[in-house]
Amino acid sequence: MEDRIPVIIDCDPGHDDMVALVLALGSEKLDVKAITNVAGNKVMEKVNRNTLNILNYCGVDHVPVAAGAERPIVREYARKDTDGCHGATGLDGFDFPKENPLRLSEKRAIEVMADVVRNSEKKVTFICTGPLTNMGLFLRAFPDLHEKIERISIMGGTCHFILTEPFMEFNTYLDAEATKIVFESGIPLTMYGYDVTYSVLYHEDFLEKLENIGNQTGDMMAKLLKEFMGLHNRVWIDLGGAPVHDACAVSGVIDPSVITKSEMMYVQIPLQSGPLSGATVCDYAHRSGKPANVEVVFAMDNEKFFDMVLKSASNLK
Ligand code: BDR
Ligand code: CA
C-alpha cells in the first residue's frame, strides 16, 4: 500500500459513480482511504444505501464510508426523485442482497476527509464525482489542510459540449456555490467535463466483456450498465453508446497517460440565476488575462480507459 496514491472518493451513486468506485477499488495503483457521500443523483439516504451495496457486493469491507451534505450549501436540493437517468433507486437494474453488514461511519464526510488528510504522510488526491458540496464545505472548514491536497480530480462541467439549457452539467450546476469555492481554491484541479466524458462511450460489446470476467462484480456492472444505457439514451441523448462520466475522473489519477488532450485555462463559475448559473465558463481562447486555474480534459485513450475498468473489475469479488 505504501507506493499507492492515497485518494478519497466523494460520490453520489449513480451508475457511473459505481463504475468509478469499481475502477478505484480494484486498482493496484490507488489506496482508497475513504468514500464520502453527497446528495446529488438521489437524496442522501439512497446514495448511502447505494454506496454500501456496491462495496458489499464487490467484497470491499475495509474502506470507511461517510454520509455527507444532504443539500447544497446555499440552494435547495433541486431534484425530484423521478429526475435523472439513474432510475428511482439511483441504481436501477440490479437487485442487491437485502442484508448488508456494512455500516456508515459515525463521523460525517468532512470529518472523515479531515482525519484522512491530516493523518496521511503523502498528499491526498480527491476524486469528486457528485455535486461539490462536501468538497466546498471541507475546503472552507479546514484551510490549514489545503496544502496537504495533491489535486482534486472532478467529473463536472463542460467547455464546448452543451447538452441542455440551463448551460449545465449536473454536478457543477446543482451546487453552484460549492463549485465556485472549489474552482477558486487555488488547489490543482483537473476537470473531466462533458467534452471528454461524452467522447468515451461504451457499447454492447463492453457489457459482454464485463460478463465474461466471470465474477460477481462484472455481472453486477453488466446488468447496471445495460439498464443505464437504456435510461440515459431515452432521457438524455442517444449517441449510439452511453457514457460513464465519473469513471473518467478516476482513470487519470491511476494513469495520467490516459489523457490524450488537456489544456490549462481559466474557468469561472457564475452564480446569478439564469442559464449560466453553476456553469463552467471556460476561457479556452485565453482572452481573460486571468491565470489558468483548471486543467480541462478534452480527450482520452478510450481503449486504455476501458481496459483499466475491466482490469479493476476482475480484481474484485
Ligand atoms: C454527472 O451527473 C450524474 O448523473 C452522474 O453521476 C455524473 O456524476 C454527469 O453529469
Ligand atoms: Ca455522479
Side-chain angles (χ1 to χ4, degrees):
M1 285 282 180
E2 269 165 30
D3 296 338
R4 296 187 182 213
I5 301 165
V7 301
I8 294 174
I9 302 176
D10 188 54
C11 60
D12 64 336
H15 295 76
D16 54 334
D17 301 80
M18 175 280 293
V19 182
L21 288 171
V22 168
L23 177 56
L25 292 164
S27 166
E28 285 144 6
K29 293 272 176 59
L30 304 187
D31 179 5
V32 181
K33 296 283 192 190
I35 297 167
T36 51
N37 291 332
V38 62
N41 282 320
K42 294 291 156 188
V43 294
M44 185 83 296
E45 194 191 339
K46 289 189 179 182
V47 168
N48 286 335
R49 187 184 312 135
N50 291 345
T51 299
L52 293 177
N53 276 342
I54 294 163
L55 262 59
N56 182 43
Y57 203 73
C58 294
V60 176
D61 58 8
H62 64 284
V63 179
V65 179
E70 298 184 359
R71 49 164 284 188
I73 298 176
V74 176
R75 301 169 190 225
E76 295 299 323
Y77 175 75
R79 187 105 173 134
K80 291 197 234 56
D81 225 26
T82 45
D83 286 349
C85 49
H86 300 277
T89 62
L91 266 188
D92 276 16
F94 190 73
D95 288 326
F96 288 98
K98 294 236 163 356
E99 298 299 320
N100 184 345
L102 299 183
R103 295 287 174 268
L104 291 171
S105 162
E106 285 172 9
K107 295 185 178 179
R108 298 297 288 217
I110 67 167
E111 297 177 278
V112 171
M113 288 171 163
D115 287 349
V116 169
V117 174
R118 203 176 279 125
N119 296 328
S120 176
E121 278 177 24
K122 292 189 201 164
K123 288 187 178 186
V124 175
T125 299
F126 281 82
I127 301 170
C128 299
T129 66
L132 290 162
T133 316
N134 290 337
M135 201 66 232
L137 289 168
F138 173 72
L139 293 179
R140 279 288 200 262
F142 298 96
D144 51 313
L145 295 178
H146 289 197
E147 62 186 24
K148 291 197 71 186
I149 301 174
E150 179 71 30
R151 176 170 291 274
I152 308 174
S153 183
I154 297 165
M155 189 285 132
T158 182
C159 179
H160 305 294
F161 187 106
I162 305 172
L163 185 56
T164 179
E165 290 270 334
F167 186 106
M168 64 92 107
E169 181 289 317
F170 175 70
N171 291 339
T172 61
Y173 158 86
L174 192 90
D175 193 342
E177 284 77 12
T179 305
K180 192 170 174 68
I181 292 170
V182 174
F183 276 62
E184 292 181 355
S185 66
I187 293 164
L189 305 177
T190 306
M191 169 178 135
Y192 298 78
Y194 282 163
D195 309 281
V196 64
T197 64
Y198 270 109
S199 74
V200 186
L201 306 178
Y202 65 91
H203 302 89
E204 291 288 338
D205 64 322
F206 182 65
L207 306 181
E208 267 169 46
K209 288 180 187 166
L210 285 167
E211 274 167 15
N212 290 342
I213 293 172
N215 66 6
Q216 61 182 48
T217 300
D219 178 60
M220 169 197 79
M221 292 176 83
K223 293 194 168 95
L224 284 171
L225 290 183
K226 186 173 176 30
E227 178 78 11
F228 180 72
M229 192 185 288
L231 285 166
H232 176 275
N233 295 359
R234 268 199 312 278
V235 175
W236 285 117
I237 180 173
D238 189 345
L239 297 170
V244 280
H245 307 287
D246 293 335
C248 297
V250 176
S251 67
V253 180
I254 296 174
D255 180 359
S257 77
V258 77
I259 299 173
T260 53
K261 186 172 177 224
S262 72
E263 211 180 309
M264 288 298 302
M265 65 184 70
Y266 173 63
V267 181
Q268 64 171 311
I269 313 295
L271 295 182
Q272 69 273 23
S273 65
L276 284 180
S277 185
T280 45
V281 178
C282 298
D283 179 22
Y284 58 88
H286 305 288
R287 304 285 298 194
S288 67
K290 301 262 180 64
N293 57 343
V294 182
E295 178 191 16
V296 179
V297 180
F298 290 100
M300 293 189 357
D301 181 333
N302 292 9
E303 199 180 321
K304 194 181 262 187
F305 169 80
F306 285 112
D307 283 351
M308 286 164 82
V309 175
L310 291 170
K311 179 144 191 294
S312 277
S314 67
N315 285 341
L316 296 173
K317 188 168 167 188

